[in-house]
Amino acid sequence: MPASTSQASSSAGIDPFQNMSHTVIDSHIELDSSWVTVMCRATRFHITVSHKDIRRSHFDTEYSEMVAKAMDDDDEEDHDVLCEWIVDPCLPYFRENTSNVPKEITFKDFYYPPTHHLQLLGTRDRGTMNAFRLMIPSRDLPPFSEIPRSKASDLRIVSDTQWDDYMSEIPQKAILSDGTSRFFKPADDKKQLLREVDMHMRIRHAGLQDKIKVANLHSIVVSDDAKMTIGLLLDLIPSTGDSLYSHKNSALASEYHARWKQQITATVKHLHSHGLIWGDVHPGNVVIDTSFNAWVVDFGGGSIVEFVPRKKAGTKAGDWHGVRKIFDEWLLEKEN
C-alpha cells in the first residue's frame, strides 16, 4: 500500500506527541489478522491486531466494520483510517522508545532501523487498548537452566524468492548456523510459554522423547544480551504444514483414520501415565507428516469448546473427550 504520513495530535491541552510524525510504510488488512508497519524517528514498529484477541472486547464491532470498509475502499481513505486506528494506541510507546534518536541520521540508520514488534490486545472490562511487545523479559521467567539458549543473531529467517511476507510476519521456522531448520514458536504469551517449557521438560525427565510423536524442545531463543525471551525452537516435523483441518472428509482421512487415531491415542496414554495433560486438543494441534503419521503439538494450554468442554479443560477426561470428538465424529463428518 502507498505510504501515508501522519502527525500525532491532541484535542485538548499540550500535545505530548507534538512534532512526532510517523509514516505507514506497509500494511495488510484482513478480518482474522491485520498488520501495519510504521516508521517513526528512524525506528520501525510492526503492529499486529488479531480478531481473536479482541473478539469479546469493546473493539470487536468497531474493528470488524472498519475492516469491511477498508477492503471495499477504492480511494483508500477507509484503509488509512483503519491503519491510524491501529497505530493510535501505540503512540505513547513510540515516544518512549524514540526519545534518544539523534537528529542527524544516515541512510543506514533509516534503511536498517531498530524494529519493535507490538500486538494490540482488547481489554474486555475497560474501554482501553494497549500495545504489548511480542517478547517476554527474561527476568520474568524461571531460569530453565537445563534448556540451551539460542541467540537471535545466530538464527536466520527462512526467505522466499517470490514473496516478501517473511520480512513482515512472525517467522515460523529458523535456520541454525549449521543449516538445520527448526520450528519457531513465539513467546507471545507468558502463561503458555511457561506451560510449554514445563511440559517438554517433564516429557524429557519421563524418558518419553523417543517413545511418542511429539516435537522435542531444543532451545529458548533470546536477544543477544539475553534480556528478552523471544520464543522456542522445536523439532521441525517433516510435513507440508498440514494439520488435520486440511484432511477433514478427505480420501486420506478415510485411508489413515485408524492409524492416526491409534497414534494419537498412544501418545495421550503415554502422557497420562506420567501425569501429563495435553490440554488443547483440537484438529489444528494434530500435524500429519510426510509419511502420514500423526503428531501431537502445542502444550501451551487453553482449549476450544467445540472439542473440549470448559469444565473438562486441562484434565485427562478433557483429553479423551477431545480425541473422541476428533476421530469418532469430526474427521469424517460430511460437509454441508
Side-chain angles (χ1 to χ4, degrees):
M1 301 300 298
S4 62
T5 303
S6 297
Q7 185 82 35
S9 61
S10 176
S11 58
I14 298 175
D15 177 11
F17 305 109
Q18 189 172 6
N19 299 323
M20 192 187 74
S21 63
H22 60 270
T23 301
V24 175
I25 59 174
D26 201 2
S27 62
H28 179 76
I29 304 299
E30 286 185 355
L31 180 60
D32 288 345
S33 181
S34 300
W35 55 259
V36 176
T37 302
V38 178
M39 285 290 292
C40 176
R41 292 179 176 171
T43 305
R44 180 169 50 199
F45 298 87
H46 186 78
I47 311 164
T48 302
V49 55
S50 176
H51 190 211
K52 65 180 178 62
D53 289 336
I54 61 173
R55 186 164 284 134
R56 290 183 293 273
S57 78
H58 171 75
F59 303 96
D60 186 358
T61 302
E62 185 178 7
Y63 172 76
S64 300
E65 292 176 351
M66 294 178 76
V67 168
K69 289 181 180 179
M71 295 182 73
D72 292 331
D73 185 14
D74 292 330
D75 58 13
E76 298 184 354
E77 287 184 5
D78 290 320
H79 175 274
D80 291 344
V81 169
L82 175 56
C83 286
E84 291 306 318
W85 183 87
I86 293 173
V87 169
D88 279 349
C90 304
L91 293 177
Y93 187 89
F94 287 10
R95 187 183 189 193
E96 178 185 348
N97 288 274
T98 61
S99 59
N100 295 321
V101 174
K103 292 183 178 180
E104 295 185 7
I105 61 173
T106 65
F107 270 51
K108 181 179 179 180
D109 294 327
F110 186 87
Y111 282 98
Y112 296 91
T115 301
H116 298 252
H117 293 272
L118 310 176
Q119 184 171 12
L120 298 185
L121 302 176
T123 304
R124 188 187 311 178
D125 300 326
R126 303 191 306 273
T128 60
M129 184 181 283
N130 301 304
F132 292 87
R133 284 176 287 187
L134 297 178
M135 296 182 286
I136 301 172
S138 299
R139 65 176 181 273
D140 293 343
L141 299 171
F144 295 130
S145 56
E146 65 183 87
I147 308 296
R149 270 29 177 204
S150 295
K151 291 184 178 180
S153 62
D154 293 334
L155 306 175
R156 290 189 293 119
I157 295 174
V158 179
S159 61
D160 190 315
T161 57
Q162 295 182 323
W163 306 98
D164 60 5
D165 289 356
Y166 69 91
M167 293 187 290
S168 301
E169 299 176 352
I170 298 173
Q172 295 183 331
K173 299 178 183 178
I175 302 177
L176 281 61
S177 56
D178 63 1
T180 303
S181 295
R182 301 288 188 207
F183 176 77
F184 173 71
K185 183 170 185 176
D188 52 7
D189 185 287
K190 178 181 176 180
K191 183 178 179 181
Q192 291 184 11
L193 181 135
L194 288 172
R195 189 180 192 276
E196 186 87 28
V197 174
D198 179 67
M199 281 290 292
H200 281 283
M201 291 174 63
R202 294 173 68 184
I203 287 171
R204 181 182 300 179
H205 295 161
L208 294 178
Q209 283 186 303
D210 298 323
K211 297 180 180 179
I212 59 177
K213 293 191 179 302
V214 169
N216 296 324
L217 173 64
H218 286 275
S219 63
I220 297 173
V221 182
V222 296
S223 57
D224 283 12
D225 60 8
K227 291 183 178 180
M228 300 299 295
T229 293
I230 299 171
L232 308 175
L233 289 186
L234 300 101
D235 280 337
L236 185 63
I237 298 172
S239 74
T240 57
D242 290 342
S243 70
L244 275 186
Y245 277 122
S246 303
H247 296 291
K248 183 178 183 182
N249 199 34
S250 68
L252 280 176
S254 298
E255 182 178 356
Y256 290 98
H257 175 271
R259 177 200 282 192
W260 294 344
K261 181 179 180 180
Q262 184 277 326
Q263 289 175 333
I264 297 301
T265 297
T267 295
V268 173
K269 282 183 176 180
H270 275 297
L271 291 173
H272 287 184
S273 69
H274 290 83
L276 304 176
I277 308 297
W278 178 5
D280 196 6
V281 184
H282 65 81
N285 284 340
V286 177
V287 173
I288 307 303
D289 68 18
T290 52
S291 298
F292 305 110
N293 295 307
W295 295 65
V296 165
V297 300
D298 194 350
F299 294 108
S303 64
I304 295 178
V305 293
E306 178 185 354
F307 297 96
V308 180
R310 287 190 178 91
K311 291 184 178 180
K312 294 184 178 181
T315 67
K316 292 181 180 180
D319 280 0
W320 289 126
H321 188 283
V323 171
R324 287 192 298 270
K325 179 69 176 180
I326 292 172
F327 292 102
D328 296 345
E329 300 178 35
W330 177 87
L331 186 57
L332 299 179
E333 285 178 354
K334 299 296 182 182
E335 298 288 350
N336 294 328

